[in-house]
Amino acid sequence: MTKRIFLLQILLFSLISSFTLLFSCGPVEETPEPDAPTTTVTGYATDEIKHTHIINTDPCPQPVATKLAIYCFKGDDFTTCDADSVSIEGRTDGLNISFINGKKFVRLSTSAAPTKATLEFTCGIPESFTQIYKLNLFKNGSLVDTEDVKIVVTVK
């Protein structure tokens, strides 16, 4: 009789283990990753950048996470550069903008990779605002195009 009880216990344990394993292997609900900042480029550069600053929480000055990307070509496919340099016009007490050389004028990358400008919220404007920067694109010293970039800063 003990041999029979022992075999029943093994069988019962196996069944319970199988059901536990079966139901624990179902689909797992994953927490989605937060959306990365998306940028749209319809011309040479990022069309719009949005930034949020939370007063008494975020540092001052505060780097803007999304960088302004500027390409030497317009459109989707890189075949040749239409522009070789860019300058940025526009100023506000609320933002600093510059290229890696620290200036507002730079030669563009001659590949499909963008040249990036960094933005910094200075806390110089204590309320939400929108700033439009004008990009002047040149090739061989001649202006070939202009484009506006909109920066939307939300201060909470």
Side-chain angles (χ1 to χ4, degrees):
M1 184 80 168
T2 51
K3 193 173 189 180
R4 227 182 214 176
I5 292 175
F6 179 72
L7 287 173
L8 281 173
Q9 286 176 340
I10 291 175
L11 180 62
L12 187 59
F13 179 75
S14 298
L15 280 172
I16 292 172
S17 298
S18 296
F19 280 115
T20 303
L21 184 62
L22 181 66
F23 287 106
S24 68
C25 291
V28 176
E29 288 186 33
E30 294 181 17
T31 305
E33 293 287 325
D35 291 336
T38 56
T39 57
T40 304
V41 177
T42 57
Y44 287 94
T46 306
D47 296 330
E48 181 177 285
I49 295 174
K50 293 181 180 182
H51 177 71
T52 300
H53 176 80
I54 301 171
I55 297 172
N56 296 323
T57 301
D58 293 331
C60 283
Q62 179 188 21
V64 175
T66 305
K67 295 187 180 344
L68 171 59
I70 306 168
Y71 297 85
C72 71
F73 59 97
K74 191 174 190 176
D76 295 333
D77 297 322
F78 172 70
T79 53
T80 184
C81 286
D82 302 318
D84 59 18
S85 56
V86 64
S87 69
I88 300 175
E89 287 182 33
R91 186 193 169 309
T92 177
D93 289 337
L95 288 170
N96 289 329
I97 186 168
S98 65
F99 293 104
I100 195 167
N101 64 4
K103 298 182 180 180
K104 287 187 164 187
F105 179 83
V106 73
R107 296 202 51 83
L108 293 172
S109 169
T110 57
S111 68
T115 299
K116 294 188 177 181
T118 58
L119 294 149
E120 177 183 66
F121 176 64
T122 66
C123 300
I125 298 178
E127 59 212 22
S128 299
F129 65 95
T130 299
Q131 172 66 31
I132 304 292
Y133 286 102
K134 181 179 177 183
L135 303 178
N136 297 304
L137 296 124
F138 299 90
K139 178 128 187 190
N140 299 324
S142 297
L143 184 67
V144 292
D145 209 342
T146 61
E147 193 168 302
D148 289 340
V149 177
K150 182 175 167 183
I151 313 298
V152 179
V153 177
T154 303
V155 178
K156 294 181 180 181

